[in-house]
mmCIF file of all heavy atoms in Angstrom:
data_model
loop_
_atom_site.group_PDB
_atom_site.id
_atom_site.type_symbol
_atom_site.label_atom_id
_atom_site.label_comp_id
_atom_site.label_asym_id
_atom_site.label_seq_id
_atom_site.Cartn_x
_atom_site.Cartn_y
_atom_site.Cartn_z
ATOM 1 N N VAL A 1 118.385 106.677 101.333
ATOM 2 C CA VAL A 1 118.142 107.435 102.588
ATOM 3 C C VAL A 1 118.713 106.731 103.853
ATOM 4 O O VAL A 1 119.472 107.224 104.583
ATOM 5 C CB VAL A 1 116.693 107.803 102.828
ATOM 6 C CG1 VAL A 1 116.449 108.655 104.082
ATOM 7 C CG2 VAL A 1 116.255 108.629 101.584
ATOM 8 N N GLY A 2 118.190 105.421 103.986
ATOM 9 C CA GLY A 2 118.371 104.731 105.253
ATOM 10 C C GLY A 2 119.944 104.590 105.688
ATOM 11 O O GLY A 2 120.228 104.843 106.724
ATOM 12 N N GLN A 3 120.776 104.150 104.721
ATOM 13 C CA GLN A 3 122.129 103.930 105.102
ATOM 14 C C GLN A 3 122.871 105.061 105.512
ATOM 15 O O GLN A 3 123.818 105.055 106.232
ATOM 16 C CB GLN A 3 122.792 103.015 104.028
ATOM 17 C CG GLN A 3 122.970 103.787 102.666
ATOM 18 C CD GLN A 3 123.539 102.886 101.657
ATOM 19 O OE1 GLN A 3 123.922 101.738 101.922
ATOM 20 N NE2 GLN A 3 123.595 103.429 100.395
ATOM 21 N N ASP A 4 122.483 106.271 105.005
ATOM 22 C CA ASP A 4 123.108 107.523 105.410
ATOM 23 C C ASP A 4 122.556 108.072 106.732
ATOM 24 O O ASP A 4 123.376 108.527 107.445
ATOM 25 C CB ASP A 4 122.918 108.525 104.255
ATOM 26 C CG ASP A 4 123.608 108.171 102.959
ATOM 27 O OD1 ASP A 4 124.626 107.469 103.057
ATOM 28 O OD2 ASP A 4 123.193 108.648 101.914
ATOM 29 N N THR A 5 121.279 107.805 106.958
ATOM 30 C CA THR A 5 120.787 108.328 108.184
ATOM 31 C C THR A 5 121.110 107.404 109.345
ATOM 32 O O THR A 5 121.349 107.921 110.427
ATOM 33 C CB THR A 5 119.163 108.213 108.113
ATOM 34 O OG1 THR A 5 118.900 109.035 106.913
ATOM 35 C CG2 THR A 5 118.636 108.897 109.219
ATOM 36 N N TYR A 6 121.294 106.120 109.094
ATOM 37 C CA TYR A 6 121.651 105.107 110.147
ATOM 38 C C TYR A 6 122.977 104.395 109.733
ATOM 39 O O TYR A 6 122.920 103.183 109.381
ATOM 40 C CB TYR A 6 120.505 104.184 110.454
ATOM 41 C CG TYR A 6 119.213 104.845 110.748
ATOM 42 C CD1 TYR A 6 118.246 105.081 109.807
ATOM 43 C CD2 TYR A 6 118.919 105.113 112.030
ATOM 44 C CE1 TYR A 6 117.098 105.617 110.059
ATOM 45 C CE2 TYR A 6 117.695 105.662 112.451
ATOM 46 C CZ TYR A 6 116.780 105.921 111.414
ATOM 47 O OH TYR A 6 115.590 106.515 111.819
ATOM 48 N N PRO A 7 124.207 105.061 109.760
ATOM 49 C CA PRO A 7 125.335 104.465 109.275
ATOM 50 C C PRO A 7 125.767 103.318 110.082
ATOM 51 O O PRO A 7 126.491 102.380 109.628
ATOM 52 C CB PRO A 7 126.315 105.641 109.230
ATOM 53 C CG PRO A 7 125.816 106.575 110.235
ATOM 54 C CD PRO A 7 124.293 106.443 110.237
ATOM 55 N N HIS A 8 125.409 103.224 111.405
ATOM 56 C CA HIS A 8 125.896 102.165 112.336
ATOM 57 C C HIS A 8 124.790 101.143 112.613
ATOM 58 O O HIS A 8 124.920 100.308 113.571
ATOM 59 C CB HIS A 8 126.352 102.732 113.692
ATOM 60 C CG HIS A 8 127.405 103.883 113.355
ATOM 61 N ND1 HIS A 8 128.687 103.487 112.945
ATOM 62 C CD2 HIS A 8 127.380 105.148 113.631
ATOM 63 C CE1 HIS A 8 129.353 104.697 112.821
ATOM 64 N NE2 HIS A 8 128.582 105.672 113.362
ATOM 65 N N ALA A 9 123.723 101.238 111.870
ATOM 66 C CA ALA A 9 122.568 100.255 112.060
ATOM 67 C C ALA A 9 123.011 98.809 111.714
ATOM 68 O O ALA A 9 123.845 98.569 110.784
ATOM 69 C CB ALA A 9 121.395 100.650 111.296
ATOM 70 N N ARG A 10 122.597 97.823 112.598
ATOM 71 C CA ARG A 10 122.762 96.492 112.253
ATOM 72 C C ARG A 10 121.385 95.726 112.282
ATOM 73 O O ARG A 10 121.306 94.581 111.914
ATOM 74 C CB ARG A 10 123.550 95.883 113.325
ATOM 75 C CG ARG A 10 123.126 95.903 114.779
ATOM 76 C CD ARG A 10 123.962 95.352 115.783
ATOM 77 N NE ARG A 10 123.322 95.308 117.136
ATOM 78 C CZ ARG A 10 122.507 94.366 117.623
ATOM 79 N NH1 ARG A 10 122.210 93.359 116.689
ATOM 80 N NH2 ARG A 10 121.923 94.323 118.757
ATOM 81 N N ARG A 11 120.288 96.523 112.603
ATOM 82 C CA ARG A 11 119.034 95.961 112.650
ATOM 83 C C ARG A 11 118.070 96.779 111.848
ATOM 84 O O ARG A 11 118.221 98.074 111.818
ATOM 85 C CB ARG A 11 118.517 95.576 114.059
ATOM 86 C CG ARG A 11 119.322 94.552 114.724
ATOM 87 C CD ARG A 11 118.637 94.220 116.061
ATOM 88 N NE ARG A 11 118.463 95.456 116.879
ATOM 89 C CZ ARG A 11 117.636 95.508 118.024
ATOM 90 N NH1 ARG A 11 117.104 94.359 118.404
ATOM 91 N NH2 ARG A 11 117.551 96.594 118.695
ATOM 92 N N LEU A 12 116.945 96.220 111.414
ATOM 93 C CA LEU A 12 115.917 97.065 110.765
ATOM 94 C C LEU A 12 114.531 96.395 111.206
ATOM 95 O O LEU A 12 114.327 95.189 110.965
ATOM 96 C CB LEU A 12 115.988 97.010 109.208
ATOM 97 C CG LEU A 12 114.761 97.636 108.446
ATOM 98 C CD1 LEU A 12 114.623 99.101 108.757
ATOM 99 C CD2 LEU A 12 114.970 97.397 106.991
ATOM 100 N N LEU A 13 113.631 97.188 111.729
ATOM 101 C CA LEU A 13 112.261 96.775 112.143
ATOM 102 C C LEU A 13 111.255 97.331 111.118
ATOM 103 O O LEU A 13 111.298 98.585 110.843
ATOM 104 C CB LEU A 13 111.878 97.300 113.527
ATOM 105 C CG LEU A 13 110.511 96.935 113.967
ATOM 106 C CD1 LEU A 13 110.295 95.441 114.090
ATOM 107 C CD2 LEU A 13 110.200 97.554 115.483
ATOM 108 N N ILE A 14 110.532 96.485 110.625
ATOM 109 C CA ILE A 14 109.497 96.864 109.603
ATOM 110 C C ILE A 14 108.052 96.513 110.276
ATOM 111 O O ILE A 14 107.910 95.317 110.738
ATOM 112 C CB ILE A 14 109.617 96.056 108.300
ATOM 113 C CG1 ILE A 14 110.960 96.386 107.688
ATOM 114 C CG2 ILE A 14 108.473 96.318 107.466
ATOM 115 C CD1 ILE A 14 111.200 95.637 106.453
ATOM 116 N N THR A 15 107.144 97.412 110.303
ATOM 117 C CA THR A 15 105.795 97.162 110.777
ATOM 118 C C THR A 15 104.894 97.158 109.478
ATOM 119 O O THR A 15 105.142 98.159 108.656
ATOM 120 C CB THR A 15 105.306 98.187 111.807
ATOM 121 O OG1 THR A 15 105.343 99.484 111.173
ATOM 122 C CG2 THR A 15 106.207 98.151 113.036
ATOM 123 N N ALA A 16 104.104 96.183 109.374
ATOM 124 C CA ALA A 16 103.309 96.130 108.132
ATOM 125 C C ALA A 16 101.956 95.497 108.393
ATOM 126 O O ALA A 16 101.666 94.943 109.515
ATOM 127 C CB ALA A 16 104.026 95.143 107.027
ATOM 128 N N ASP A 17 101.008 95.649 107.442
ATOM 129 C CA ASP A 17 99.691 95.036 107.469
ATOM 130 C C ASP A 17 99.801 93.511 107.541
ATOM 131 O O ASP A 17 100.797 92.915 107.201
ATOM 132 C CB ASP A 17 98.870 95.589 106.452
ATOM 133 C CG ASP A 17 98.510 97.022 106.521
ATOM 134 O OD1 ASP A 17 98.857 97.620 107.568
ATOM 135 O OD2 ASP A 17 98.024 97.619 105.447
ATOM 136 N N ALA A 18 98.707 92.955 107.757
ATOM 137 C CA ALA A 18 98.658 91.450 107.863
ATOM 138 C C ALA A 18 98.379 90.934 106.394
ATOM 139 O O ALA A 18 98.621 89.673 106.252
ATOM 140 C CB ALA A 18 97.501 90.991 108.680
ATOM 141 N N GLY A 19 97.913 91.601 105.497
ATOM 142 C CA GLY A 19 97.574 91.141 104.171
ATOM 143 C C GLY A 19 98.311 92.021 103.020
ATOM 144 O O GLY A 19 99.132 92.928 103.267
ATOM 145 N N GLY A 20 97.942 91.587 101.752
ATOM 146 C CA GLY A 20 98.493 92.266 100.694
ATOM 147 C C GLY A 20 99.911 91.781 100.287
ATOM 148 O O GLY A 20 100.256 90.632 100.602
ATOM 149 N N SER A 21 100.579 92.615 99.428
ATOM 150 C CA SER A 21 101.905 92.205 98.976
ATOM 151 C C SER A 21 102.922 91.934 100.100
ATOM 152 O O SER A 21 103.924 91.252 99.986
ATOM 153 C CB SER A 21 102.530 93.214 97.978
ATOM 154 O OG SER A 21 102.579 94.502 98.515
ATOM 155 N N ASN A 22 102.700 92.701 101.177
ATOM 156 C CA ASN A 22 103.549 92.470 102.398
ATOM 157 C C ASN A 22 102.985 91.690 103.535
ATOM 158 O O ASN A 22 103.203 91.961 104.707
ATOM 159 C CB ASN A 22 104.149 93.775 102.886
ATOM 160 C CG ASN A 22 102.985 94.889 103.007
ATOM 161 O OD1 ASN A 22 103.208 95.985 102.531
ATOM 162 N ND2 ASN A 22 101.863 94.568 103.648
ATOM 163 N N GLY A 23 101.919 90.867 103.152
ATOM 164 C CA GLY A 23 101.248 90.175 104.142
ATOM 165 C C GLY A 23 102.061 88.962 104.858
ATOM 166 O O GLY A 23 103.054 88.503 104.257
ATOM 167 N N TYR A 24 101.718 88.535 106.018
ATOM 168 C CA TYR A 24 102.449 87.465 106.723
ATOM 169 C C TYR A 24 102.339 86.150 106.085
ATOM 170 O O TYR A 24 103.105 85.293 106.321
ATOM 171 C CB TYR A 24 102.112 87.450 108.201
ATOM 172 C CG TYR A 24 100.717 86.986 108.484
ATOM 173 C CD1 TYR A 24 100.418 85.590 108.830
ATOM 174 C CD2 TYR A 24 99.518 87.746 108.557
ATOM 175 C CE1 TYR A 24 99.212 85.087 109.070
ATOM 176 C CE2 TYR A 24 98.360 87.235 108.834
ATOM 177 C CZ TYR A 24 98.073 85.970 109.018
ATOM 178 O OH TYR A 24 96.883 85.481 109.412
ATOM 179 N N ARG A 25 101.279 85.894 105.249
ATOM 180 C CA ARG A 25 101.073 84.667 104.546
ATOM 181 C C ARG A 25 101.784 84.663 103.087
ATOM 182 O O ARG A 25 101.711 83.671 102.447
ATOM 183 C CB ARG A 25 99.705 84.417 104.319
ATOM 184 C CG ARG A 25 98.931 84.147 105.735
ATOM 185 C CD ARG A 25 97.464 83.816 105.408
ATOM 186 N NE ARG A 25 96.729 83.577 106.485
ATOM 187 C CZ ARG A 25 95.326 83.291 106.623
ATOM 188 N NH1 ARG A 25 94.690 83.431 105.571
ATOM 189 N NH2 ARG A 25 94.809 83.109 107.836
ATOM 190 N N THR A 26 102.266 85.812 102.738
ATOM 191 C CA THR A 26 102.962 86.030 101.406
ATOM 192 C C THR A 26 104.345 85.385 101.458
ATOM 193 O O THR A 26 105.259 86.010 102.068
ATOM 194 C CB THR A 26 102.873 87.409 100.932
ATOM 195 O OG1 THR A 26 101.474 87.860 100.920
ATOM 196 C CG2 THR A 26 103.441 87.505 99.490
ATOM 197 N N ARG A 27 104.593 84.190 100.832
ATOM 198 C CA ARG A 27 105.839 83.610 100.787
ATOM 199 C C ARG A 27 106.910 84.491 100.062
ATOM 200 O O ARG A 27 108.031 84.565 100.639
ATOM 201 C CB ARG A 27 105.744 82.140 100.314
ATOM 202 C CG ARG A 27 104.978 81.260 101.116
ATOM 203 C CD ARG A 27 104.938 79.954 100.567
ATOM 204 N NE ARG A 27 104.339 78.913 101.333
ATOM 205 C CZ ARG A 27 104.411 77.539 101.250
ATOM 206 N NH1 ARG A 27 105.144 77.048 100.236
ATOM 207 N NH2 ARG A 27 103.878 76.751 102.093
ATOM 208 N N ALA A 28 106.471 84.949 98.977
ATOM 209 C CA ALA A 28 107.611 85.754 98.203
ATOM 210 C C ALA A 28 108.018 87.078 98.959
ATOM 211 O O ALA A 28 109.233 87.401 98.910
ATOM 212 C CB ALA A 28 106.822 86.194 96.817
ATOM 213 N N TRP A 29 107.132 87.537 99.814
ATOM 214 C CA TRP A 29 107.552 88.686 100.685
ATOM 215 C C TRP A 29 108.708 88.251 101.568
ATOM 216 O O TRP A 29 109.751 89.006 101.725
ATOM 217 C CB TRP A 29 106.335 89.117 101.455
ATOM 218 C CG TRP A 29 106.604 89.926 102.779
ATOM 219 C CD1 TRP A 29 106.580 89.448 104.003
ATOM 220 C CD2 TRP A 29 106.981 91.351 102.871
ATOM 221 N NE1 TRP A 29 106.853 90.500 104.924
ATOM 222 C CE2 TRP A 29 107.006 91.556 104.205
ATOM 223 C CE3 TRP A 29 107.290 92.288 101.933
ATOM 224 C CZ2 TRP A 29 107.401 92.885 104.706
ATOM 225 C CZ3 TRP A 29 107.566 93.529 102.346
ATOM 226 C CH2 TRP A 29 107.655 93.798 103.729
ATOM 227 N N LYS A 30 108.667 87.120 102.095
ATOM 228 C CA LYS A 30 109.707 86.737 103.088
ATOM 229 C C LYS A 30 111.009 86.302 102.289
ATOM 230 O O LYS A 30 112.097 86.461 102.721
ATOM 231 C CB LYS A 30 109.223 85.514 103.810
ATOM 232 C CG LYS A 30 108.054 85.697 104.696
ATOM 233 C CD LYS A 30 107.485 84.520 105.488
ATOM 234 C CE LYS A 30 106.290 84.855 106.343
ATOM 235 N NZ LYS A 30 105.772 83.710 107.034
ATOM 236 N N VAL A 31 110.818 85.717 101.049
ATOM 237 C CA VAL A 31 111.931 85.398 100.229
ATOM 238 C C VAL A 31 112.711 86.710 99.855
ATOM 239 O O VAL A 31 113.909 86.856 99.934
ATOM 240 C CB VAL A 31 111.556 84.684 98.997
ATOM 241 C CG1 VAL A 31 112.733 84.462 97.951
ATOM 242 C CG2 VAL A 31 111.062 83.309 99.326
ATOM 243 N N GLU A 32 112.016 87.726 99.384
ATOM 244 C CA GLU A 32 112.587 88.954 99.036
ATOM 245 C C GLU A 32 113.168 89.633 100.130
ATOM 246 O O GLU A 32 114.353 90.267 99.952
ATOM 247 C CB GLU A 32 111.567 89.918 98.263
ATOM 248 C CG GLU A 32 110.887 89.355 97.071
ATOM 249 C CD GLU A 32 112.068 89.252 95.872
ATOM 250 O OE1 GLU A 32 113.058 89.970 95.957
ATOM 251 O OE2 GLU A 32 111.927 88.317 94.997
ATOM 252 N N LEU A 33 112.688 89.506 101.333
ATOM 253 C CA LEU A 33 113.322 90.177 102.594
ATOM 254 C C LEU A 33 114.581 89.446 102.893
ATOM 255 O O LEU A 33 115.520 90.047 103.284
ATOM 256 C CB LEU A 33 112.325 90.147 103.666
ATOM 257 C CG LEU A 33 111.181 91.216 103.705
ATOM 258 C CD1 LEU A 33 110.326 91.144 104.856
ATOM 259 C CD2 LEU A 33 111.761 92.640 103.666
ATOM 260 N N ALA A 34 114.547 88.109 102.828
ATOM 261 C CA ALA A 34 115.773 87.438 103.094
ATOM 262 C C ALA A 34 116.843 87.728 102.160
ATOM 263 O O ALA A 34 118.105 87.921 102.536
ATOM 264 C CB ALA A 34 115.487 85.812 102.925
ATOM 265 N N ARG A 35 116.518 87.968 100.914
ATOM 266 C CA ARG A 35 117.563 88.543 99.868
ATOM 267 C C ARG A 35 117.946 89.866 100.229
ATOM 268 O O ARG A 35 119.294 90.131 100.165
ATOM 269 C CB ARG A 35 116.911 88.513 98.555
ATOM 270 C CG ARG A 35 117.924 88.895 97.454
ATOM 271 C CD ARG A 35 117.251 88.823 96.036
ATOM 272 N NE ARG A 35 117.021 87.520 95.661
ATOM 273 C CZ ARG A 35 115.849 86.996 95.405
ATOM 274 N NH1 ARG A 35 114.731 87.740 95.545
ATOM 275 N NH2 ARG A 35 115.645 85.713 95.037
ATOM 276 N N LEU A 36 117.084 90.800 100.801
ATOM 277 C CA LEU A 36 117.552 92.081 101.166
ATOM 278 C C LEU A 36 118.468 91.973 102.345
ATOM 279 O O LEU A 36 119.467 92.754 102.543
ATOM 280 C CB LEU A 36 116.323 92.923 101.437
ATOM 281 C CG LEU A 36 116.530 94.328 101.976
ATOM 282 C CD1 LEU A 36 117.299 95.190 100.960
ATOM 283 C CD2 LEU A 36 115.204 95.098 102.366
ATOM 284 N N ALA A 37 118.119 91.149 103.379
ATOM 285 C CA ALA A 37 118.971 91.100 104.491
ATOM 286 C C ALA A 37 120.327 90.557 104.154
ATOM 287 O O ALA A 37 121.358 90.991 104.701
ATOM 288 C CB ALA A 37 118.323 90.032 105.446
ATOM 289 N N SER A 38 120.436 89.632 103.246
ATOM 290 C CA SER A 38 121.734 89.083 102.840
ATOM 291 C C SER A 38 122.522 90.147 102.049
ATOM 292 O O SER A 38 123.822 90.177 102.207
ATOM 293 C CB SER A 38 121.509 87.760 101.913
ATOM 294 O OG SER A 38 122.774 87.393 101.445
ATOM 295 N N ASP A 39 121.910 90.999 101.291
ATOM 296 C CA ASP A 39 122.646 92.009 100.534
ATOM 297 C C ASP A 39 123.038 93.156 101.467
ATOM 298 O O ASP A 39 124.129 93.801 101.116
ATOM 299 C CB ASP A 39 121.772 92.452 99.373
ATOM 300 C CG ASP A 39 121.393 91.387 98.365
ATOM 301 O OD1 ASP A 39 122.110 90.401 98.284
ATOM 302 O OD2 ASP A 39 120.496 91.598 97.554
ATOM 303 N N THR A 40 122.324 93.504 102.378
ATOM 304 C CA THR A 40 122.516 94.767 103.168
ATOM 305 C C THR A 40 123.377 94.267 104.599
ATOM 306 O O THR A 40 123.912 95.219 105.202
ATOM 307 C CB THR A 40 121.350 95.467 103.534
ATOM 308 O OG1 THR A 40 120.392 94.561 104.285
ATOM 309 C CG2 THR A 40 120.616 95.913 102.231
ATOM 310 N N GLY A 41 123.320 93.079 104.897
ATOM 311 C CA GLY A 41 123.882 92.668 106.182
ATOM 312 C C GLY A 41 123.040 93.036 107.377
ATOM 313 O O GLY A 41 123.555 93.041 108.513
ATOM 314 N N LEU A 42 121.819 93.460 107.136
ATOM 315 C CA LEU A 42 120.868 93.839 108.251
ATOM 316 C C LEU A 42 120.124 92.712 108.730
ATOM 317 O O LEU A 42 119.684 91.728 107.964
ATOM 318 C CB LEU A 42 119.908 94.973 107.771
ATOM 319 C CG LEU A 42 120.511 96.328 107.480
ATOM 320 C CD1 LEU A 42 119.424 97.175 106.849
ATOM 321 C CD2 LEU A 42 121.133 97.059 108.709
ATOM 322 N N GLU A 43 119.865 92.697 110.007
ATOM 323 C CA GLU A 43 118.902 91.746 110.596
ATOM 324 C C GLU A 43 117.639 92.406 110.559
ATOM 325 O O GLU A 43 117.268 93.288 111.245
ATOM 326 C CB GLU A 43 119.357 91.432 112.052
ATOM 327 C CG GLU A 43 118.593 90.320 112.696
ATOM 328 C CD GLU A 43 119.160 90.079 114.054
ATOM 329 O OE1 GLU A 43 120.230 89.436 114.251
ATOM 330 O OE2 GLU A 43 118.478 90.559 115.100
#
């Protein structure tokens, strides 16, 4: 959905809770997001 809706996007903002699988203390969450940023070219 996203890349077709926003074809000229260069950034992506994600708002999330403080805990759980997407918590700010979860290291694997940041690692997987870094991989997604590298693959999509999004900041």
Side-chain angles (χ1 to χ4, degrees):
V1 180
Q3 62 184 358
D4 294 333
T5 307
Y6 302 94
H8 305 295
R10 62 181 184 85
R11 299 185 301 171
L12 170 64
L13 175 62
I14 299 174
T15 62
D17 294 345
S21 59
N22 47 228
Y24 70 92
R25 294 180 178 177
T26 306
R27 294 186 172 190
W29 159 256
K30 298 177 180 179
V31 170
E32 295 297 331
L33 283 179
R35 184 178 290 116
L36 177 62
S38 177
D39 295 342
T40 60
L42 292 172
E43 187 178 284

